[in-house]
Amino acid sequence: MAAFGVICLVTLFLASSATACDRCVHQSKVAFFSNAQALQSGACGYGSLAIGFNNGYLAAATPSIYKQGAGCGACFQIRCKNEKICSKEGTTVLVSDLNQDNNTDFVLSSRAFMAMAKNGMGQEVLKLGIADVEYKRVPCDYKNKNLAIRVEESSQKPNYLAIKLLYQGGQTEIVGVDVAQVGSSNWNSMFRNYGAVWDTSRVPNGPLQFRFVVTAGFDGKWYWAKKSVLPADWKSGAIYDSGLQITDIAQEPCSPCDNSTWKDSVNNF
């Protein structure tokens, strides 16, 4: 895993040679799901937990944003361009699914789509069906929630462990996960199975600790959860606190940057 981490950091460093900032504004279109349940079966694997994220303001994102699952849990502020019915603030959504429609960068929950409207104009915004928008990546702020690890039901001690990462804060992507027995320096790599789910067939014995490679700034950094995150008697379906709060901001190449505040958009979950 050490070599993997070095490769990730080198790759990120090379990417940073272009003009980079933390607020790149993009122009696109968005649509919405008429079925409120659609995003609960999304490609990120959040399932029924998704509806509890960001007050149900969710989005399916195009492959370039979904990034084979690395974009799961990312937050974006989106505002539509029809000044008669759309607010200047827009809304903030959390990525929970993959959008395969090449005509739009996002497909939003209907609740999130309506939230782009001025007061009392929600139904008028819905009538648009597809809206011209601009959007930018913004930090996710879960306040007092730490990064959490949910043990998936497919896990079978001692031969297989699958985890789902929840409440990933900041403006980052988790690009590597290692697991080891507490007190051991023998780290085993986990691999992204799909979406926010990572797994390994090399499960250490005893209580488990984790470390993560996270995009941050121009490069990346390690986050270490050195305490016992999973007890020796970990249970499938249980959610465990990592003790970590991720607050870093990863930058992306673009020019010019837009560091202005789109007022009153709520992204505190």
Side-chain angles (χ1 to χ4, degrees):
M1 179 62 198
F4 174 76
V6 171
I7 292 171
C8 287
L9 295 180
V10 170
T11 301
L12 290 167
F13 176 79
L14 292 175
S16 70
S17 60
T19 301
C21 71
D22 55 6
R23 295 292 186 276
C24 297
V25 177
H26 307 273
Q27 313 295 321
S28 186
K29 298 177 182 292
V30 301
F32 69 91
F33 286 105
S34 57
N35 181 357
Q37 304 299 315
L39 289 168
Q40 293 189 39
S41 58
C44 289
Y46 295 132
S48 60
L49 294 172
I51 202 67
F53 298 152
N54 194 27
N55 298 314
Y57 290 16
L58 305 174
T62 191
S64 62
I65 297 171
Y66 179 78
K67 298 179 181 178
Q68 296 181 319
C72 288
C75 295
F76 290 85
Q77 190 172 0
I78 304 174
R79 60 184 182 186
C80 51
K81 296 181 178 180
N82 187 325
E83 296 181 356
K84 292 183 179 179
I85 59 177
C86 298
S87 71
K88 294 181 180 178
E89 298 81 15
T91 186
T92 298
V93 300
L94 180 144
V95 174
S96 64
D97 197 3
L98 171 64
N99 169 32
Q100 299 282 16
D101 183 356
N102 293 328
N103 296 318
T104 63
D105 278 6
F106 297 97
V107 181
L108 310 184
S109 60
S110 57
R111 185 174 185 180
F113 197 89
M114 290 177 66
M116 295 189 296
K118 292 180 177 178
N119 289 339
M121 303 298 289
Q123 291 300 321
E124 294 303 312
V125 168
L126 279 182
K127 290 178 182 177
L128 294 175
I130 297 178
D132 292 311
V133 300
E134 57 182 0
Y135 67 87
K136 59 183 176 180
R137 179 97 184 256
V138 293
C140 299
D141 185 359
Y142 289 99
K143 294 301 183 184
N144 297 322
K145 288 184 180 292
N146 294 328
L147 178 71
I149 294 177
R150 183 185 189 276
V151 178
E152 297 295 273
E153 283 79 3
S154 58
S155 298
Q156 296 182 349
K157 190 187 299 183
N159 299 315
Y160 180 71
L161 173 64
I163 62 170
K164 182 184 299 172
L165 302 179
L166 307 172
Y167 311 123
Q168 179 183 337
Q171 188 175 317
T172 60
E173 295 160 8
I174 294 176
V175 294
V177 180
D178 285 357
V179 61
Q181 184 182 61
V182 172
S184 171
S185 59
N186 184 21
W187 292 92
N188 293 332
S189 299
M190 302 190 74
F191 300 92
R192 191 184 300 278
N193 185 306
Y194 70 97
V197 178
W198 295 74
D199 65 2
T200 181
S201 58
R202 300 175 61 196
V203 186
N205 294 321
L208 303 180
Q209 60 180 336
F210 292 83
R211 64 184 183 182
F212 309 91
V213 181
V214 176
T215 56
F218 292 102
D219 305 309
K221 67 187 293 184
W222 287 98
Y223 271 86
W224 296 65
K226 296 183 179 180
K227 72 181 186 69
S228 175
V229 178
L230 266 58
D233 61 344
W234 52 265
K235 307 294 184 184
S236 296
I239 297 176
Y240 299 93
D241 188 340
S242 74
L244 298 173
Q245 282 197 355
I246 298 176
T247 58
D248 286 279
I249 304 295
Q251 298 196 328
E252 59 180 312
C254 71
S255 181
C257 297
D258 177 8
N259 292 317
S260 64
T261 300
W262 296 355
K263 294 181 179 180
D264 300 327
S265 180
V266 177
N267 62 315
N268 297 329
F269 310 156

